[in-house]
C-alpha cells in the first residue's frame, strides 16, 4: 500500500491541499530528528574526508563523525563543538588543543554553504568518516515507501502526516465557519491520532508514555 493510501485511510482526502508535501516532509523530518542515532545509522550514507573541510553538509542530519587516530590506528568518535570552540581546539597555544585521540568537528555556514570541519585535519591515511541522512523531500502522491528511512519508522511518519493534514482541514473549517459539529469531529480525530503517534514514537525512542 502506498504512503498516500495509508494516510487517506486515516484522514480521507489528502491531496486537495497545496501543501500536502510540506505536511509529509515535515513529518519525515520530525520523526528523523526524534529517532535515536543507533536506529538511523542503519540507513545512513557515508562521506569520507581526507581534508579538514566538507562544504556539502547542508540539508543533512549528521549522525556520527569518526577519525582515524593514526596511519594504522583506530577510528575514534569525534565530538561536536561550536565554531568558537573549534578555533580554540585548533590553537597550539590553547589548553584545549586537541590530539588525534580526541578529534572534534563543527558545523557552520560561510553565508553560502554549510560546512563541516574536522580537527585534527583528516588526511589520506587518517581519514574522517561522516555518517549522515539527507533531508531530501519525499512526494506524498507517489512514494511507495518513505525515502531514506527504514520501514520501522513509516507508521510514525504516516500518523504525523495525517495529523498535519488534519491541522490544515481544521484551519480551513474554522476560516470557512463550518458547522461546529464537523469541527469537533475533526478535533477529536486529531486528538486520537496524536495519542497513536505518541505511542508509536515511544516505541521508537524507548520512552514510556504517561
Amino acid at each position: 500500500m502506498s504512503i498516500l493510501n495509508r494516510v487517506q485511510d486515516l484522514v480521507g482526502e489528502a491531496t486537495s491541499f497545496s501543501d500536502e508535501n510540506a505536511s509529509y516532509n515535515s513529518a519525515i523530518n520530525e520523526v528523523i530528528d526524534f529517532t535515536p542515532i543507533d536506529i538511523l545509522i542503519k540507513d545512513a550514507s557515508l562521506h569520507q574526508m581526507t581534508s579538514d573541510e566538507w562544504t556539502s553538509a547542508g540539508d543533512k542530519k549528521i549522525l556520527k563523525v569518526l577519525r582515524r587516530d593514526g596511519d594504522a590506528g583506530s577510528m575514534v568518535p569525534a565530538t561536536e563543538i561550536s565554531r568558537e570552540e573549534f578555533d580554540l581546539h585548533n590553537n597550539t597555544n590553547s589548553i584545549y588543543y586537541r590530539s588525534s585521540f580526541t578529534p572534534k568537528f563543527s558545523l557552520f555556514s560561510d553565508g553560502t554553504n554549510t560546512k563541516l570541519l574536522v580537527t585534527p585535519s583528516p588526511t589520506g591515511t587518517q581519514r574522517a568518516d561522516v555518517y549522515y541522512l539527507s533531508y531530501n523531500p519525499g512526494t506524498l502522491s507517489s512514494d511507495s515507501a518513505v525515502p531514506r528511512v527504514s520501514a520501522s519508522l513509516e507508521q510514525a511518519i504516516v500518523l504525523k502526516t495525517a495529523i498535519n493534514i488534519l491541522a490544515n482541514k481544521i484551519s480551513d473549517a474554522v476560516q470557512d465557519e463550518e458547522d461546529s459539529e464537523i469541527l469537533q469531529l475533526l478535533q477529536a480525530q486529531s486528538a486520537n491520532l496524536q495519542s497513536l503517534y505518541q505511542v508509536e514514537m515511544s516505541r521508537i525512542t524507548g520512552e514510556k508514555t504517561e
Side-chain angles (χ1 to χ4, degrees), residues 98-189:
R98 80 293 181 275
S99 75
S100 60
F101 302 105
T102 57
K104 313 294 181 185
F105 78 95
S106 182
L107 290 164
F108 81 103
S109 174
D110 63 3
T112 302
N113 300 304
T114 298
K115 297 182 177 182
L116 187 148
L117 300 177
V118 176
T119 186
S121 180
T123 66
T125 56
Q126 296 184 29
R127 74 175 190 274
D129 289 349
V130 182
Y131 295 89
Y132 67 91
L133 285 180
S134 296
Y135 286 115
N136 295 329
T139 304
L140 182 59
S141 61
S142 60
D143 283 352
S144 58
V146 178
R148 309 181 308 284
V149 301
S150 66
S152 65
L153 303 183
E154 282 191 354
Q155 182 60 14
I157 291 169
V158 167
L159 287 166
K160 185 57 181 178
T161 301
I163 290 166
N164 291 344
I165 289 172
L166 266 184
N168 287 331
K169 290 189 175 186
I170 290 171
S171 176
D172 287 349
V174 170
Q175 293 178 43
D176 295 341
E177 299 182 347
E178 292 279 3
D179 183 273
S180 60
E181 186 174 346
I182 293 175
L183 183 58
Q184 288 172 1
L185 288 172
L186 290 172
Q187 291 170 331
Q189 187 180 15

